[in-house]
Amino acid sequence: MSKLDLSEVGLRDRAAWEEKGYQLPQYDRAEMIAATKAYPTWVHFGAGNIFKALHAAGAQRLLNEGILKTGIIAVERKKKGEAVHDGYSVVVTLKADGGVEKTVVGSVAESCYLYGGEERLAEIFRAPSLQMVTFTITEKGYSLVDGKGELQPDVVTDLSNGPENCLTYMGRVAWLLLQRYNAGALPIAMVSTDNCSHNGDKLKAAMVCFAETWCKNGFVPQGFVDYIEDPKKVSFPWTMIDKITPSPDRSVGAILEQDGLEGFAPTVNARGTVTAPFVNAEESEYLVFQDDFPNGRPPLEKCGFYFTARETVDKVERMKVCTCLNPLHTSLAVYGCLLGFQRISAEMKDEDLHKLVERIGYVEGLPVVTDPGIIKPKDFIDTVVNVRIPNPFMPDTPQRIATDTSQKLPIRFGETIKAYLASDTLDVAELKLIPLVYAGWLRYLMAVDDEGKAFEPSPDPLLASSQAYLADIHLGDALTADEAEAKLAELLHNKGIFGVDLIETGLSKLVCRYFVELIAGPGAVRKTLHKYVNE
C-alpha cells in the first residue's frame, strides 16, 4: 500500500491523492500564505473541528474559485510542540446515503498563539487590512464569572493589573483590540460564531467589561471604551452556526489509514478528549451572519453562508437553538446516556425516543417559532428528524452532546417556556415533554443508568454542585412528588440552569412527578418515557 503524506512535499504527488478520492486545494498555497501574511483579512480564534469543517472549508471553496486571495490566520491558546502537516487538515464528510467525501483543506495560512505569540498577533491586529475576527471557543469561553455569578479570580487579577500579560483568554483579546485602537482606532468586526443565543452580545459584554474597568483603573483612556462601544468602529454581529462535527471516529480513521495516511487513528488524552488530524462531519451546514462589518468582509455568501439583518439572524438562531435542532439533541443526549445508547443515530430507531423528539420539535416547539424567511422552520426540522440525526454514518454520541448540559438547558428549553408564558394563546401547562427532559436531566445527575449501573456523566461546570442536591436520593427510593420538590427546591428555583424558576412557573410539580417515576427502580426510565411519549 502506497503511503500518503499530508504535507507540502507529500501533496506534490497530486495524482496519488486524487487516485484515493481526495479533493485537493486548487490554488497556489505559497502565494496565498504570502498574501495573507502581508495583508491579513481574517483571524479565527479556536481552530477546532467545527472551524475546519465549516469556516476553513468554506474559505477554501472561494480560494479554489479565485474569489479569495488570502486565507485564515488561526489562533490557538499555546504552542504544543512542532507544527504537523504544514497547516493542512483532512475533512471527511459523511453523507446519509453512505457516501464519503474526503477533502484536504489548506486555507489556514498561519497559526498564531494567544499565549506565547503575542507580538505577531499584535502586529496582525494593527494591520489596516484586517476585516474580521471570528471565534469558536464555546459559550463558556466568553464568560467572566463562575457558577455563582462572581468574577473568576483570574479575571479579577487581569482587571486589577491592566492589559499587559493578561491571564485570561478574554483579557488577551481585549488587549489585542487595544493594539488596534492604538494603531488609529481601526475598524473591525468581532464575530462570535459559537452555538449560543445572541453570541455577539456575549463577546461584546466581555470586551466592554475589560475596557471600562481598565479605564476606571487608569490603564486605558476613555477613547478605548468609546472605540469598543462604537458600532462603526467595532461591531459584534450575531450569528447562527449549525454543522454537526462529532469527535473523530475510529472507523473514519481506519478509512484514512487504509488510504495510506499513517498516524490518523484517533487518540484519547488523559482528560478523555479525542483528537485526530482529521475532522468527520455531516453534509448539512448553515452559517448565518448579521451583515455588520465596518471594515468590509470577504464575499462568503458565495460559498453558501448567509448575510442578513440582525432580526433575521435572531429568528434563525432561535429556530435552531431553541426549537428545531439543539433541544432535540439534548433530549436524546440525556435519555441516550440513561438508556445506554452509544450513537445518536441509533436512538432515532427507538420508537419512544423518536416520538420524544418529534413531539418536542413539532408539537411543543414550532408554535413559538417565527419564520425567519431565509430558512423555513418546517423544512429545517424535517431535515433534522428525517435525515441529519438518523444518519447512521455520523458517529455522534449522546455522551458528547451531554457535555455542559447545565449551560444548554436554559436556552434550548427555557426560551420556549418563556415564549409560552408570554403568549396570549398558549398555556405553559400544555408543555408535557420539555418537563420530561428536565426530569430526565435530574435523573441523569444520579449517574446511574436505567439498569442500575453507574456511569460517568459528561463534563459540566455545574455538575458537582447540581449533583449535591441529589446526594441523599437513590434509585428505588419511594418519594412523593412533593417530597422530591422539597429536596430539590433550591435547584428548581435556579433560572440559570432551567431558564425559568420552575417553581414560580408551576412546572416543578410535573417535573418532580416525572422524576419520582424515573427513580422508581431499574427499568423505570424506559417505562416512564414510554408512558408519556404515548399519551
Side-chain angles (χ1 to χ4, degrees), residues 1 98 110 135 216 229 276 335 395 446 451 483:
M1 179 180 65
E110 182 180 1
F135 296 78
K216 180 181 177 181
E229 294 187 327
Y335 279 96
M446 296 171 67
E451 294 182 357
E483 289 171 337

Side-chain angles (χ1 to χ4, degrees), residues 55-100:
H55 308 68
Q60 172 148 302
R61 293 197 293 273
L62 297 188
L63 286 164
N64 285 342
E65 296 175 24
I67 295 171
L68 286 186
K69 300 300 182 184
T70 58
I72 307 172
I73 297 170
V75 183
E76 301 178 43
R77 292 183 69 92
K78 295 180 181 180
K79 192 171 184 178
K80 302 174 182 177
E82 292 303 312
V84 294
H85 304 302
D86 294 332
Y88 288 102
S89 59
V90 174
V91 175
V92 181
T93 303
L94 306 172
K95 301 183 178 182
D97 64 3
V100 174

Side-chain angles (χ1 to χ4, degrees), residues 9 66 85 99 149 325-326 403 407 421 464 494:
V9 173
H85 304 302
L325 173 62
N326 294 20
T403 300
Q407 312 296 289
L421 290 169
N494 193 326

Side-chain angles (χ1 to χ4, degrees), residues 191-244:
V191 191
S192 168
T193 58
D194 274 294
N195 179 19
C196 54
S197 179
H198 302 170
N199 43 22
D201 290 352
K202 297 180 188 302
L203 176 56
K204 182 177 182 179
M207 295 301 99
V208 169
C209 178
F210 276 100
E212 288 184 340
T213 309
W214 284 343
C215 179
K216 180 181 177 181
N217 292 339
F219 294 114
V220 300
Q222 178 62 38
F224 178 54
V225 180
D226 297 339
Y227 170 70
I228 295 286
E229 294 187 327
D230 183 353
K232 294 181 180 179
K233 291 290 187 179
V234 183
S235 67
F236 296 90
W238 291 356
T239 65
M240 189 286 285
I241 188 169
D242 183 18
K243 187 177 181 73
I244 301 171

